Amino acid sequence: FPVTILNTEAKEWNMKEMNEERNKSATKVEHYGDILFMLNASDEALRYWKEAAKLGEPSELLKRKIQDKKYYE
């Protein structure tokens, strides 16, 4: 499958998870931001990365994503 299709499916699955407050975690929110970035939705990705940072102690990698507004693995 092309990466775009897989990312789109991942986005849909993660959106369902994100809508259930009890399933929300900093890691899941960060990963959702990663998916959005890969789908060229960088502004929305940044919003989710910032939300992830508020939900838990942000890693240095997450801080870097937010600062640079860029995806890093």
Side-chain angles (χ1 to χ4, degrees):
F1 292 101
V3 173
T4 304
I5 291 173
L6 294 176
N7 283 338
T8 301
E9 289 178 4
K11 178 185 176 190
E12 289 174 18
W13 183 83
N14 274 285
M15 179 61 86
K16 290 176 187 174
E17 285 285 307
M18 302 296 285
N19 286 332
E20 294 185 32
E21 195 65 33
R22 63 183 169 82
N23 289 331
K24 198 177 250 187
S25 72
T27 301
K28 287 181 182 179
V29 174
E30 179 179 356
H31 288 308
Y32 188 63
D34 296 345
I35 292 165
L36 291 169
F37 190 88
M38 290 178 209
L39 292 171
N40 296 318
S42 56
D43 290 338
E44 198 172 349
L46 181 61
R47 185 169 63 88
Y48 279 90
W49 291 336
K50 287 179 179 179
E51 182 178 340
K54 291 177 186 175
L55 288 173
E57 182 61 37
S59 66
E60 291 303 314
L61 182 60
L62 178 55
K63 290 176 186 177
R64 190 171 166 205
K65 289 177 188 178
I66 294 168
Q67 178 182 340
D68 297 345
K69 300 176 184 174
K70 189 174 178 184
Y71 172 74
Y72 296 100
E73 289 189 44

